[in-house]
Amino acid sequence: YGYKSADDQLILLATDIGKDGAALYQVQDGHAKMLYHDGNTTYFEGVVYSQKTGSIYLTSPSTNSLIRIKSDGEIEVILNDENKKPSGLAIDSCTSSIYWTNTERGAPSIEVFQEDQQPFQSRVLISDDLKRPRAITVDRETE
């Protein structure tokens, strides 16, 4: 996932896995800086950046969690539910809606939450006729 900084620099977000868990890196100007490491997770699957708040969102299917890293570096697990496996992520920057896929076997869904909603509340958009949805994107027409 990539985005532009305030001074128009391209910044990439990359995830990596190892024997000691998974990590999120910020890659800029040929240098990688670790932003977050979780020794309990096997991998991160989805990652998005909110231009509105500067927060980064990650999904960790192996720990059944959705994680927010705020612009000040504070890390918050906003969803940890043994009945859900967050996977894909997409953000609609016009509405501050964040869409995510739940790949839990037997109960898959596509859900949405509002970034600025406190406390966190996710709403199921669809749960019928899905197997294991892994990826999602927002395609908004511009006028």
Side-chain angles (χ1 to χ4, degrees):
Y1 190 87
Y3 63 96
K4 295 264 184 154
S5 65
D7 60 352
D8 211 32
Q9 293 287 319
L10 178 63
I11 298 173
L12 300 174
L13 297 173
T15 61
D16 193 15
I17 58 174
K19 292 180 182 180
D20 63 343
L24 171 72
Y25 292 89
Q26 177 181 352
V27 181
Q28 184 177 8
D29 296 328
H31 301 284
K33 173 185 170 187
M34 185 185 298
L35 299 177
Y36 177 62
H37 176 266
D38 186 340
N40 295 317
T41 193
T42 311
Y43 63 100
F44 299 120
E45 187 149 330
V47 58
V48 294
Y49 171 78
S50 169
Q51 292 180 338
K52 178 180 176 184
T53 65
S55 294
I56 299 167
Y57 293 85
L58 292 166
T59 59
S60 174
S62 62
T63 59
N64 306 79
S65 57
L66 204 155
I67 302 148
R68 173 174 33 213
I69 303 170
K70 294 182 179 181
S71 60
D72 64 4
E74 179 186 348
I75 297 165
E76 178 182 21
V77 176
I78 58 175
L79 173 77
N80 188 312
D81 185 337
E82 66 184 37
N83 296 314
K84 303 217 181 225
K85 281 203 175 306
S87 187
L89 275 175
I91 190 165
D92 182 341
S93 57
C94 294
T95 65
S96 297
S97 299
I98 298 181
Y99 299 88
W100 61 283
T101 63
N102 168 27
T103 60
E104 181 64 31
R105 291 184 193 271
S109 59
I110 296 175
E111 303 192 25
V112 64
F113 66 93
Q114 292 303 122
E115 182 175 19
D116 51 4
Q117 186 177 34
Q118 295 294 329
F120 172 81
Q121 293 180 338
S122 188
R123 179 172 53 91
V124 174
L125 294 176
I126 185 170
S127 60
D128 296 335
D129 300 320
L130 296 172
K131 300 295 182 216
R132 294 190 74 201
R134 297 194 76 85
I136 191 164
T137 190
V138 174
D139 185 10
R140 180 179 283 277
E141 287 187 29
T142 57
E143 296 180 14

mmCIF file with all atom_site columns, all heavy atoms in Angstrom, residues 7 11 21 24 44 50-52 62 77 82-83 87 89 95 112-113 117 123 129 131 139 141:
data_model
loop_
_atom_site.group_PDB
_atom_site.id
_atom_site.type_symbol
_atom_site.label_atom_id
_atom_site.label_alt_id
_atom_site.label_comp_id
_atom_site.label_asym_id
_atom_site.label_entity_id
_atom_site.label_seq_id
_atom_site.pdbx_PDB_ins_code
_atom_site.Cartn_x
_atom_site.Cartn_y
_atom_site.Cartn_z
_atom_site.occupancy
_atom_site.B_iso_or_equiv
_atom_site.pdbx_formal_charge
_atom_site.auth_seq_id
_atom_site.auth_comp_id
_atom_site.auth_asym_id
_atom_site.auth_atom_id
_atom_site.pdbx_PDB_model_num
ATOM 1   N N   . ASP A 1 7   ? 4.640   16.511  1.883   1.00 0.00 ? 7   ASP A N   1
ATOM 2   C CA  . ASP A 1 7   ? 5.593   17.141  0.960   1.00 0.00 ? 7   ASP A CA  1
ATOM 3   C C   . ASP A 1 7   ? 5.705   16.371  -0.353  1.00 0.00 ? 7   ASP A C   1
ATOM 4   O O   . ASP A 1 7   ? 6.695   16.489  -1.067  1.00 0.00 ? 7   ASP A O   1
ATOM 5   C CB  . ASP A 1 7   ? 6.956   17.320  1.614   1.00 0.00 ? 7   ASP A CB  1
ATOM 6   C CG  . ASP A 1 7   ? 7.581   16.007  2.052   1.00 0.00 ? 7   ASP A CG  1
ATOM 7   O OD1 . ASP A 1 7   ? 6.896   14.962  1.983   1.00 0.00 ? 7   ASP A OD1 1
ATOM 8   O OD2 . ASP A 1 7   ? 8.754   16.026  2.459   1.00 0.00 ? 7   ASP A OD2 1
ATOM 9   N N   . ILE A 1 11  ? 5.333   7.196   -0.001  1.00 0.00 ? 11  ILE A N   1
ATOM 10  C CA  . ILE A 1 11  ? 5.614   6.363   1.165   1.00 0.00 ? 11  ILE A CA  1
ATOM 11  C C   . ILE A 1 11  ? 4.899   5.037   0.958   1.00 0.00 ? 11  ILE A C   1
ATOM 12  O O   . ILE A 1 11  ? 3.710   5.009   0.627   1.00 0.00 ? 11  ILE A O   1
ATOM 13  C CB  . ILE A 1 11  ? 5.139   7.035   2.464   1.00 0.00 ? 11  ILE A CB  1
ATOM 14  C CG1 . ILE A 1 11  ? 5.902   8.346   2.673   1.00 0.00 ? 11  ILE A CG1 1
ATOM 15  C CG2 . ILE A 1 11  ? 5.323   6.094   3.652   1.00 0.00 ? 11  ILE A CG2 1
ATOM 16  C CD1 . ILE A 1 11  ? 5.409   9.175   3.828   1.00 0.00 ? 11  ILE A CD1 1
ATOM 17  N N   . GLY A 1 21  ? 7.246   -13.663 14.386  1.00 0.00 ? 21  GLY A N   1
ATOM 18  C CA  . GLY A 1 21  ? 6.014   -12.907 14.180  1.00 0.00 ? 21  GLY A CA  1
ATOM 19  C C   . GLY A 1 21  ? 6.011   -12.120 12.893  1.00 0.00 ? 21  GLY A C   1
ATOM 20  O O   . GLY A 1 21  ? 6.722   -12.440 11.948  1.00 0.00 ? 21  GLY A O   1
ATOM 21  N N   . LEU A 1 24  ? 5.224   -4.511  10.348  1.00 0.00 ? 24  LEU A N   1
ATOM 22  C CA  . LEU A 1 24  ? 4.814   -3.512  9.366   1.00 0.00 ? 24  LEU A CA  1
ATOM 23  C C   . LEU A 1 24  ? 5.953   -2.504  9.245   1.00 0.00 ? 24  LEU A C   1
ATOM 24  O O   . LEU A 1 24  ? 6.477   -2.034  10.259  1.00 0.00 ? 24  LEU A O   1
ATOM 25  C CB  . LEU A 1 24  ? 3.540   -2.792  9.814   1.00 0.00 ? 24  LEU A CB  1
ATOM 26  C CG  . LEU A 1 24  ? 3.138   -1.584  8.964   1.00 0.00 ? 24  LEU A CG  1
ATOM 27  C CD1 . LEU A 1 24  ? 2.602   -2.047  7.606   1.00 0.00 ? 24  LEU A CD1 1
ATOM 28  C CD2 . LEU A 1 24  ? 2.118   -0.738  9.685   1.00 0.00 ? 24  LEU A CD2 1
ATOM 29  N N   . PHE A 1 44  ? 0.281   -10.399 8.648   1.00 0.00 ? 44  PHE A N   1
ATOM 30  C CA  . PHE A 1 44  ? -0.729  -9.373  8.428   1.00 0.00 ? 44  PHE A CA  1
ATOM 31  C C   . PHE A 1 44  ? -1.190  -9.527  6.994   1.00 0.00 ? 44  PHE A C   1
ATOM 32  O O   . PHE A 1 44  ? -0.378  -9.731  6.100   1.00 0.00 ? 44  PHE A O   1
ATOM 33  C CB  . PHE A 1 44  ? -0.165  -7.968  8.637   1.00 0.00 ? 44  PHE A CB  1
ATOM 34  C CG  . PHE A 1 44  ? 0.335   -7.733  10.031  1.00 0.00 ? 44  PHE A CG  1
ATOM 35  C CD1 . PHE A 1 44  ? 1.656   -7.399  10.255  1.00 0.00 ? 44  PHE A CD1 1
ATOM 36  C CD2 . PHE A 1 44  ? -0.506  -7.846  11.113  1.00 0.00 ? 44  PHE A CD2 1
ATOM 37  C CE1 . PHE A 1 44  ? 2.132   -7.179  11.538  1.00 0.00 ? 44  PHE A CE1 1
ATOM 38  C CE2 . PHE A 1 44  ? -0.051  -7.629  12.402  1.00 0.00 ? 44  PHE A CE2 1
ATOM 39  C CZ  . PHE A 1 44  ? 1.273   -7.294  12.614  1.00 0.00 ? 44  PHE A CZ  1
ATOM 40  N N   . SER A 1 50  ? -5.174  5.946   6.284   1.00 0.00 ? 50  SER A N   1
ATOM 41  C CA  . SER A 1 50  ? -6.198  6.981   6.248   1.00 0.00 ? 50  SER A CA  1
ATOM 42  C C   . SER A 1 50  ? -5.542  8.343   6.112   1.00 0.00 ? 50  SER A C   1
ATOM 43  O O   . SER A 1 50  ? -4.839  8.790   7.023   1.00 0.00 ? 50  SER A O   1
ATOM 44  C CB  . SER A 1 50  ? -7.046  6.945   7.522   1.00 0.00 ? 50  SER A CB  1
ATOM 45  O OG  . SER A 1 50  ? -7.862  8.102   7.594   1.00 0.00 ? 50  SER A OG  1
ATOM 46  N N   . GLN A 1 51  ? -5.786  9.010   5.001   1.00 0.00 ? 51  GLN A N   1
ATOM 47  C CA  . GLN A 1 51  ? -5.247  10.359  4.822   1.00 0.00 ? 51  GLN A CA  1
ATOM 48  C C   . GLN A 1 51  ? -5.920  11.343  5.773   1.00 0.00 ? 51  GLN A C   1
ATOM 49  O O   . GLN A 1 51  ? -5.318  12.331  6.176   1.00 0.00 ? 51  GLN A O   1
ATOM 50  C CB  . GLN A 1 51  ? -5.419  10.807  3.381   1.00 0.00 ? 51  GLN A CB  1
ATOM 51  C CG  . GLN A 1 51  ? -4.554  10.031  2.420   1.00 0.00 ? 51  GLN A CG  1
ATOM 52  C CD  . GLN A 1 51  ? -4.728  10.479  0.988   1.00 0.00 ? 51  GLN A CD  1
ATOM 53  O OE1 . GLN A 1 51  ? -5.739  11.060  0.620   1.00 0.00 ? 51  GLN A OE1 1
ATOM 54  N NE2 . GLN A 1 51  ? -3.731  10.208  0.167   1.00 0.00 ? 51  GLN A NE2 1
ATOM 55  N N   . LYS A 1 52  ? -7.156  11.060  6.145   1.00 0.00 ? 52  LYS A N   1
ATOM 56  C CA  . LYS A 1 52  ? -7.901  11.957  7.035   1.00 0.00 ? 52  LYS A CA  1
ATOM 57  C C   . LYS A 1 52  ? -7.273  12.010  8.425   1.00 0.00 ? 52  LYS A C   1
ATOM 58  O O   . LYS A 1 52  ? -7.096  13.085  8.989   1.00 0.00 ? 52  LYS A O   1
ATOM 59  C CB  . LYS A 1 52  ? -9.353  11.495  7.132   1.00 0.00 ? 52  LYS A CB  1
ATOM 60  C CG  . LYS A 1 52  ? -10.196 12.322  8.071   1.00 0.00 ? 52  LYS A CG  1
ATOM 61  C CD  . LYS A 1 52  ? -11.618 11.817  8.139   1.00 0.00 ? 52  LYS A CD  1
ATOM 62  C CE  . LYS A 1 52  ? -12.429 12.589  9.156   1.00 0.00 ? 52  LYS A CE  1
ATOM 63  N NZ  . LYS A 1 52  ? -13.773 12.060  9.299   1.00 0.00 ? 52  LYS A NZ  1
ATOM 64  N N   . SER A 1 62  ? -4.593  -14.500 11.780  1.00 0.00 ? 62  SER A N   1
ATOM 65  C CA  . SER A 1 62  ? -4.131  -15.529 12.712  1.00 0.00 ? 62  SER A CA  1
ATOM 66  C C   . SER A 1 62  ? -4.433  -15.192 14.171  1.00 0.00 ? 62  SER A C   1
ATOM 67  O O   . SER A 1 62  ? -4.471  -16.078 15.015  1.00 0.00 ? 62  SER A O   1
ATOM 68  C CB  . SER A 1 62  ? -2.633  -15.793 12.531  1.00 0.00 ? 62  SER A CB  1
ATOM 69  O OG  . SER A 1 62  ? -1.886  -14.640 12.816  1.00 0.00 ? 62  SER A OG  1
ATOM 70  N N   . VAL A 1 77  ? -5.878  -2.330  19.349  1.00 0.00 ? 77  VAL A N   1
ATOM 71  C CA  . VAL A 1 77  ? -6.594  -3.459  18.750  1.00 0.00 ? 77  VAL A CA  1
ATOM 72  C C   . VAL A 1 77  ? -8.067  -3.099  18.813  1.00 0.00 ? 77  VAL A C   1
ATOM 73  O O   . VAL A 1 77  ? -8.647  -3.036  19.899  1.00 0.00 ? 77  VAL A O   1
ATOM 74  C CB  . VAL A 1 77  ? -6.301  -4.777  19.496  1.00 0.00 ? 77  VAL A CB  1
ATOM 75  C CG1 . VAL A 1 77  ? -7.127  -5.914  18.911  1.00 0.00 ? 77  VAL A CG1 1
ATOM 76  C CG2 . VAL A 1 77  ? -4.823  -5.107  19.426  1.00 0.00 ? 77  VAL A CG2 1
ATOM 77  N N   . GLU A 1 82  ? -12.866 -14.103 18.324  1.00 0.00 ? 82  GLU A N   1
ATOM 78  C CA  . GLU A 1 82  ? -12.523 -15.459 17.896  1.00 0.00 ? 82  GLU A CA  1
ATOM 79  C C   . GLU A 1 82  ? -13.471 -16.009 16.838  1.00 0.00 ? 82  GLU A C   1
ATOM 80  O O   . GLU A 1 82  ? -13.174 -17.011 16.200  1.00 0.00 ? 82  GLU A O   1
ATOM 81  C CB  . GLU A 1 82  ? -12.465 -16.402 19.097  1.00 0.00 ? 82  GLU A CB  1
ATOM 82  C CG  . GLU A 1 82  ? -13.798 -16.618 19.768  1.00 0.00 ? 82  GLU A CG  1
ATOM 83  C CD  . GLU A 1 82  ? -13.683 -17.491 21.007  1.00 0.00 ? 82  GLU A CD  1
ATOM 84  O OE1 . GLU A 1 82  ? -12.683 -17.375 21.732  1.00 0.00 ? 82  GLU A OE1 1
ATOM 85  O OE2 . GLU A 1 82  ? -14.612 -18.281 21.223  1.00 0.00 ? 82  GLU A OE2 1
ATOM 86  N N   . ASN A 1 83  ? -14.600 -15.351 16.595  1.00 0.00 ? 83  ASN A N   1
ATOM 87  C CA  . ASN A 1 83  ? -15.552 -15.784 15.576  1.00 0.00 ? 83  ASN A CA  1
ATOM 88  C C   . ASN A 1 83  ? -15.370 -15.056 14.250  1.00 0.00 ? 83  ASN A C   1
ATOM 89  O O   . ASN A 1 83  ? -16.185 -15.212 13.346  1.00 0.00 ? 83  ASN A O   1
ATOM 90  C CB  . ASN A 1 83  ? -16.982 -15.589 16.076  1.00 0.00 ? 83  ASN A CB  1
ATOM 91  C CG  . ASN A 1 83  ? -17.266 -16.461 17.284  1.00 0.00 ? 83  ASN A CG  1
ATOM 92  O OD1 . ASN A 1 83  ? -16.941 -17.641 17.295  1.00 0.00 ? 83  ASN A OD1 1
ATOM 93  N ND2 . ASN A 1 83  ? -17.824 -15.857 18.306  1.00 0.00 ? 83  ASN A ND2 1
ATOM 94  N N   . SER A 1 87  ? -9.462  -10.047 7.074   1.00 0.00 ? 87  SER A N   1
ATOM 95  C CA  . SER A 1 87  ? -8.509  -10.336 6.007   1.00 0.00 ? 87  SER A CA  1
ATOM 96  C C   . SER A 1 87  ? -8.268  -9.092  5.150   1.00 0.00 ? 87  SER A C   1
ATOM 97  O O   . SER A 1 87  ? -7.363  -8.332  5.402   1.00 0.00 ? 87  SER A O   1
ATOM 98  C CB  . SER A 1 87  ? -9.023  -11.516 5.179   1.00 0.00 ? 87  SER A CB  1
ATOM 99  O OG  . SER A 1 87  ? -8.074  -11.922 4.247   1.00 0.00 ? 87  SER A OG  1
ATOM 100 N N   . LEU A 1 89  ? -8.799  -5.331  3.413   1.00 0.00 ? 89  LEU A N   1
ATOM 101 C CA  . LEU A 1 89  ? -9.179  -3.998  3.882   1.00 0.00 ? 89  LEU A CA  1
ATOM 102 C C   . LEU A 1 89  ? -9.243  -3.034  2.715   1.00 0.00 ? 89  LEU A C   1
ATOM 103 O O   . LEU A 1 89  ? -8.428  -3.107  1.793   1.00 0.00 ? 89  LEU A O   1
ATOM 104 C CB  . LEU A 1 89  ? -8.122  -3.440  4.838   1.00 0.00 ? 89  LEU A CB  1
ATOM 105 C CG  . LEU A 1 89  ? -8.150  -3.790  6.305   1.00 0.00 ? 89  LEU A CG  1
ATOM 106 C CD1 . LEU A 1 89  ? -6.913  -3.212  7.002   1.00 0.00 ? 89  LEU A CD1 1
ATOM 107 C CD2 . LEU A 1 89  ? -9.392  -3.268  6.972   1.00 0.00 ? 89  LEU A CD2 1
ATOM 108 N N   . THR A 1 95  ? -15.873 9.068   2.561   1.00 0.00 ? 95  THR A N   1
ATOM 109 C CA  . THR A 1 95  ? -16.883 8.852   3.598   1.00 0.00 ? 95  THR A CA  1
ATOM 110 C C   . THR A 1 95  ? -16.287 8.365   4.921   1.00 0.00 ? 95  THR A C   1
ATOM 111 O O   . THR A 1 95  ? -17.021 8.164   5.879   1.00 0.00 ? 95  THR A O   1
ATOM 112 C CB  . THR A 1 95  ? -17.923 7.812   3.135   1.00 0.00 ? 95  THR A CB  1
ATOM 113 O OG1 . THR A 1 95  ? -17.268 6.553   2.968   1.00 0.00 ? 95  THR A OG1 1
ATOM 114 C CG2 . THR A 1 95  ? -18.605 8.237   1.844   1.00 0.00 ? 95  THR A CG2 1
ATOM 115 N N   . VAL A 1 112 ? -18.303 -3.209  7.384   1.00 0.00 ? 112 VAL A N   1
ATOM 116 C CA  . VAL A 1 112 ? -17.867 -1.821  7.281   1.00 0.00 ? 112 VAL A CA  1
ATOM 117 C C   . VAL A 1 112 ? -17.940 -1.164  8.660   1.00 0.00 ? 112 VAL A C   1
ATOM 118 O O   . VAL A 1 112 ? -18.782 -1.530  9.480   1.00 0.00 ? 112 VAL A O   1
ATOM 119 C CB  . VAL A 1 112 ? -18.712 -1.035  6.250   1.00 0.00 ? 112 VAL A CB  1
ATOM 120 C CG1 . VAL A 1 112 ? -20.169 -0.940  6.685   1.00 0.00 ? 112 VAL A CG1 1
ATOM 121 C CG2 . VAL A 1 112 ? -18.130 0.341   5.980   1.00 0.00 ? 112 VAL A CG2 1
ATOM 122 N N   . PHE A 1 113 ? -17.026 -0.231  8.889   1.00 0.00 ? 113 PHE A N   1
ATOM 123 C CA  . PHE A 1 113 ? -17.123 0.621   10.071  1.00 0.00 ? 113 PHE A CA  1
ATOM 124 C C   . PHE A 1 113 ? -16.695 2.029   9.694   1.00 0.00 ? 113 PHE A C   1
ATOM 125 O O   . PHE A 1 113 ? -16.004 2.239   8.708   1.00 0.00 ? 113 PHE A O   1
ATOM 126 C CB  . PHE A 1 113 ? -16.300 0.074   11.246  1.00 0.00 ? 113 PHE A CB  1
ATOM 127 C CG  . PHE A 1 113 ? -14.814 0.067   11.049  1.00 0.00 ? 113 PHE A CG  1
ATOM 128 C CD1 . PHE A 1 113 ? -14.029 1.133   11.467  1.00 0.00 ? 113 PHE A CD1 1
ATOM 129 C CD2 . PHE A 1 113 ? -14.186 -1.022  10.475  1.00 0.00 ? 113 PHE A CD2 1
ATOM 130 C CE1 . PHE A 1 113 ? -12.654 1.116   11.302  1.00 0.00 ? 113 PHE A CE1 1
ATOM 131 C CE2 . PHE A 1 113 ? -12.813 -1.055  10.309  1.00 0.00 ? 113 PHE A CE2 1
ATOM 132 C CZ  . PHE A 1 113 ? -12.045 0.023   10.722  1.00 0.00 ? 113 PHE A CZ  1
ATOM 133 N N   . GLN A 1 117 ? -15.952 6.592   14.404  1.00 0.00 ? 117 GLN A N   1
ATOM 134 C CA  . GLN A 1 117 ? -16.971 6.111   15.336  1.00 0.00 ? 117 GLN A CA  1
ATOM 135 C C   . GLN A 1 117 ? -16.331 5.510   16.584  1.00 0.00 ? 117 GLN A C   1
ATOM 136 O O   . GLN A 1 117 ? -15.471 4.651   16.497  1.00 0.00 ? 117 GLN A O   1
ATOM 137 C CB  . GLN A 1 117 ? -17.856 5.075   14.648  1.00 0.00 ? 117 GLN A CB  1
ATOM 138 C CG  . GLN A 1 117 ? -19.026 4.616   15.468  1.00 0.00 ? 117 GLN A CG  1
ATOM 139 C CD  . GLN A 1 117 ? -19.887 3.644   14.662  1.00 0.00 ? 117 GLN A CD  1
ATOM 140 O OE1 . GLN A 1 117 ? -19.379 2.872   13.864  1.00 0.00 ? 117 GLN A OE1 1
ATOM 141 N NE2 . GLN A 1 117 ? -21.181 3.715   14.889  1.00 0.00 ? 117 GLN A NE2 1
ATOM 142 N N   . ARG A 1 123 ? -20.506 -3.190  10.971  1.00 0.00 ? 123 ARG A N   1
ATOM 143 C CA  . ARG A 1 123 ? -21.821 -3.583  10.465  1.00 0.00 ? 123 ARG A CA  1
ATOM 144 C C   . ARG A 1 123 ? -21.630 -4.546  9.294   1.00 0.00 ? 123 ARG A C   1
ATOM 145 O O   . ARG A 1 123 ? -20.840 -4.285  8.383   1.00 0.00 ? 123 ARG A O   1
ATOM 146 C CB  . ARG A 1 123 ? -22.572 -2.331  10.015  1.00 0.00 ? 123 ARG A CB  1
ATOM 147 C CG  . ARG A 1 123 ? -23.942 -2.571  9.441   1.00 0.00 ? 123 ARG A CG  1
ATOM 148 C CD  . ARG A 1 123 ? -24.674 -1.251  9.203   1.00 0.00 ? 123 ARG A CD  1
ATOM 149 N NE  . ARG A 1 123 ? -23.936 -0.287  8.407   1.00 0.00 ? 123 ARG A NE  1
ATOM 150 C CZ  . ARG A 1 123 ? -24.014 -0.179  7.080   1.00 0.00 ? 123 ARG A CZ  1
ATOM 151 N NH1 . ARG A 1 123 ? -24.803 -0.972  6.386   1.00 0.00 ? 123 ARG A NH1 1
ATOM 152 N NH2 . ARG A 1 123 ? -23.317 0.734   6.443   1.00 0.00 ? 123 ARG A NH2 1
ATOM 153 N N   . ASP A 1 129 ? -23.963 -16.230 0.416   1.00 0.00 ? 129 ASP A N   1
ATOM 154 C CA  . ASP A 1 129 ? -23.312 -16.650 -0.827  1.00 0.00 ? 129 ASP A CA  1
ATOM 155 C C   . ASP A 1 129 ? -21.817 -16.323 -0.880  1.00 0.00 ? 129 ASP A C   1
ATOM 156 O O   . ASP A 1 129 ? -21.267 -16.117 -1.957  1.00 0.00 ? 129 ASP A O   1
ATOM 157 C CB  . ASP A 1 129 ? -24.022 -16.055 -2.048  1.00 0.00 ? 129 ASP A CB  1
ATOM 158 C CG  . ASP A 1 129 ? -25.469 -16.484 -2.123  1.00 0.00 ? 129 ASP A CG  1
ATOM 159 O OD1 . ASP A 1 129 ? -25.758 -17.663 -1.830  1.00 0.00 ? 129 ASP A OD1 1
ATOM 160 O OD2 . ASP A 1 129 ? -26.325 -15.636 -2.448  1.00 0.00 ? 129 ASP A OD2 1
ATOM 161 N N   . LYS A 1 131 ? -17.833 -17.539 0.325   1.00 0.00 ? 131 LYS A N   1
ATOM 162 C CA  . LYS A 1 131 ? -17.044 -18.685 0.795   1.00 0.00 ? 131 LYS A CA  1
ATOM 163 C C   . LYS A 1 131 ? -15.981 -18.192 1.778   1.00 0.00 ? 131 LYS A C   1
ATOM 164 O O   . LYS A 1 131 ? -16.080 -18.413 2.953   1.00 0.00 ? 131 LYS A O   1
ATOM 165 C CB  . LYS A 1 131 ? -16.384 -19.422 -0.375  1.00 0.00 ? 131 LYS A CB  1
ATOM 166 C CG  . LYS A 1 131 ? -17.387 -19.970 -1.379  1.00 0.00 ? 131 LYS A CG  1
ATOM 167 C CD  . LYS A 1 131 ? -18.251 -21.046 -0.768  1.00 0.00 ? 131 LYS A CD  1
ATOM 168 C CE  . LYS A 1 131 ? -19.194 -21.586 -1.818  1.00 0.00 ? 131 LYS A CE  1
ATOM 169 N NZ  . LYS A 1 131 ? -20.482 -21.930 -1.337  1.00 0.00 ? 131 LYS A NZ  1
ATOM 170 N N   . ASP A 1 139 ? -14.043 1.484   -5.452  1.00 0.00 ? 139 ASP A N   1
ATOM 171 C CA  . ASP A 1 139 ? -13.895 2.110   -6.751  1.00 0.00 ? 139 ASP A CA  1
ATOM 172 C C   . ASP A 1 139 ? -14.947 3.214   -6.849  1.00 0.00 ? 139 ASP A C   1
ATOM 173 O O   . ASP A 1 139 ? -16.111 2.935   -7.082  1.00 0.00 ? 139 ASP A O   1
ATOM 174 C CB  . ASP A 1 139 ? -14.063 1.082   -7.870  1.00 0.00 ? 139 ASP A CB  1
ATOM 175 C CG  . ASP A 1 139 ? -13.801 1.673   -9.244  1.00 0.00 ? 139 ASP A CG  1
ATOM 176 O OD1 . ASP A 1 139 ? -13.302 2.820   -9.336  1.00 0.00 ? 139 ASP A OD1 1
ATOM 177 O OD2 . ASP A 1 139 ? -14.107 0.995   -10.236 1.00 0.00 ? 139 ASP A OD2 1
ATOM 178 N N   . GLU A 1 141 ? -16.345 6.633   -8.571  1.00 0.00 ? 141 GLU A N   1
ATOM 179 C CA  . GLU A 1 141 ? -16.244 7.489   -9.742  1.00 0.00 ? 141 GLU A CA  1
ATOM 180 C C   . GLU A 1 141 ? -16.061 8.932   -9.310  1.00 0.00 ? 141 GLU A C   1
ATOM 181 O O   . GLU A 1 141 ? -16.669 9.381   -8.356  1.00 0.00 ? 141 GLU A O   1
ATOM 182 C CB  . GLU A 1 141 ? -17.516 7.387   -10.595 1.00 0.00 ? 141 GLU A CB  1
ATOM 183 C CG  . GLU A 1 141 ? -17.638 6.086   -11.345 1.00 0.00 ? 141 GLU A CG  1
ATOM 184 C CD  . GLU A 1 141 ? -18.802 6.094   -12.307 1.00 0.00 ? 141 GLU A CD  1
ATOM 185 O OE1 . GLU A 1 141 ? -19.156 7.172   -12.805 1.00 0.00 ? 141 GLU A OE1 1
ATOM 186 O OE2 . GLU A 1 141 ? -19.356 5.025   -12.540 1.00 0.00 ? 141 GLU A OE2 1
#
